[in-house]
Amino acid sequence: MAILTLEDGCVQLSAGPFVDSIGMVYYAGVDLGATNVRAVIGTEDGQTVGSSRNRTPRGPTGIDVTERVLDTVREACDDAGIEPARIDAVGIGSIGPFDLAEGAVIDPANLPDTIDRIPLTGPISVLTETEDVYLHNDTNAGVIGERFHSDRNPDDMTYVTISSGIGAGVCCDGRIIDGWDGNAGEIGHCVVDPRGRLTCGCGKDGHWEAYCSGNNIPEYARLLAEDDPTISTDLPLEDPDFTAKDVFDLAGADELADHTIEQVAHWNTIGIANIVHSYAPLVVSLGGAVVLHNEELVADPIRERVPEMVMSNVPEITVTSLGDDVVVEGALASAMTEGTGDRRRLHH
Ligand SMILES: [Zn+2]
């Protein structure tokens, strides 16, 4: 009983800067995105005791990005009132692609060309004095977090983000799937339109992302308007600033907006059904700005229609409760579970 009281005391006191709670185990989660770099510090009992956020520098070199990541981890440790060396393990969810053997980001697509290499695991390992540093792409960090926080902690689970692009993190048979060069979750580049009428940002035709990502919904609305010149609309199709938000804002009030939302729901359902047939998940968790800002118009139709398209077990389809924190929380969950999100691997 006395030990329990002591542990309770640690939980409360650990947030204070002057108390170094001996024996408490700390973990760090890091989210390196094209816009922001974030870090959180958590304790073994799941409390978040420190955090920090900075802009991701646009260079000039990858080392500058590495330095900003290290600064962000230091600031989060300061916020938690601990030295970085107290961190037991670190999880990182990052933009890719990676040299996984070197633990570095290589030629990231969404940062300037002068950034050719961002070393991550080595410098973070030195800062925190731990070998236990787990590097994942952002969608894999997402599925680790969703798995960790899911009631059933399933061995078979998929996290799908529908945002500026579309991608998935897959956990199958309890393993987070990377594939050759980490490309296993590039589900947004599955063909949903065999006619290939829209070209994807990757240069190939007919990909799911070319129709349904936040960046591409406006182009899809333009295509649908061309297909049916009689359809009425107040959407600013010719305006270069026309966005997906304009389409969703006019739901229920504009014929073309409704038709576009309907077609997007159809392709989204095809994409999710392909994932279900490929990986047999118990749970599919949806996230990303397009879903989070339009749950009724994007997630609900998928839930309703997937049973009509799936011949195998129909998974539970949820929307992440972690919101914009899904990657950094997933990275923290990775640190706590040896890179898996499996709660049986929490070490105490
Ligand atoms: Zn593509």
Side-chain angles (χ1 to χ4, degrees), residues 95 147 154 176 197 225 242 284 288 311 320-322 341:
I95 51 173
R147 182 188 190 200
I176 306 301
R197 298 184 67 207
F242 172 41
V284 175
M311 55 68 67
T320 176
S321 60
L322 299 172

Side-chain angles (χ1 to χ4, degrees), residues 41-194:
I41 308 299
T43 57
E44 59 194 303
D45 51 20
Q47 306 263 343
T48 297
V49 293
S51 65
S52 182
R53 175 198 293 256
N54 289 297
R55 298 290 287 183
T56 304
R58 309 289 296 170
T61 71
I63 300 299
D64 296 288
V65 181
T66 301
E67 289 296 338
R68 186 67 56 86
V69 170
L70 296 176
D71 286 344
T72 307
V73 174
R74 283 190 200 98
E75 290 164 13
C77 288
D78 282 348
D79 192 35
I82 61 165
E83 293 295 320
R86 288 293 306 277
I87 302 291
D88 244 47
V90 184
I92 310 166
S94 174
I95 51 173
F98 301 127
D99 178 338
L100 278 174
E102 294 292 321
V105 178
I106 305 295
D107 297 324
N110 297 324
L111 289 173
D113 289 344
T114 57
I115 297 177
D116 58 352
R117 183 177 194 82
I118 307 171
L120 288 176
T121 55
I124 287 177
S125 180
V126 170
L127 174 69
T128 56
E129 298 178 22
T130 175
E131 295 290 304
D132 295 330
V133 180
Y134 304 94
L135 176 63
H136 313 277
N137 68 40
D138 40 19
T139 50
N140 278 0
V143 76
I144 289 168
E146 288 300 288
R147 182 188 190 200
F148 182 78
H149 291 283
S150 171
D151 289 342
R152 291 185 278 182
N153 195 219
D155 282 348
D156 300 290
M157 179 156 189
T158 308
Y159 170 70
V160 179
T161 175
I162 306 178
S163 182
S164 53
I166 296 176
V170 177
C171 183
C172 191
D173 292 338
R175 291 192 52 222
I176 306 301
I177 295 181
D178 288 315
W180 187 12
D181 273 353
N183 290 321
E186 290 288 4
I187 196 80
H189 303 279
C190 284
V191 172
V192 293
D193 176 11

Side-chain angles (χ1 to χ4, degrees), residues 110 138-139 159-168 185-189 200-202 207-217 244 268 287-291 298:
N110 297 324
D138 40 19
T139 50
Y159 170 70
V160 179
T161 175
I162 306 178
S163 182
S164 53
I166 296 176
E186 290 288 4
I187 196 80
H189 303 279
C200 187
C202 73
H207 292 180
W208 179 12
E209 181 174 310
Y211 297 75
C212 300
S213 73
N215 286 355
N216 291 318
I217 286 173
N268 279 344
V290 174
V291 171
V298 177

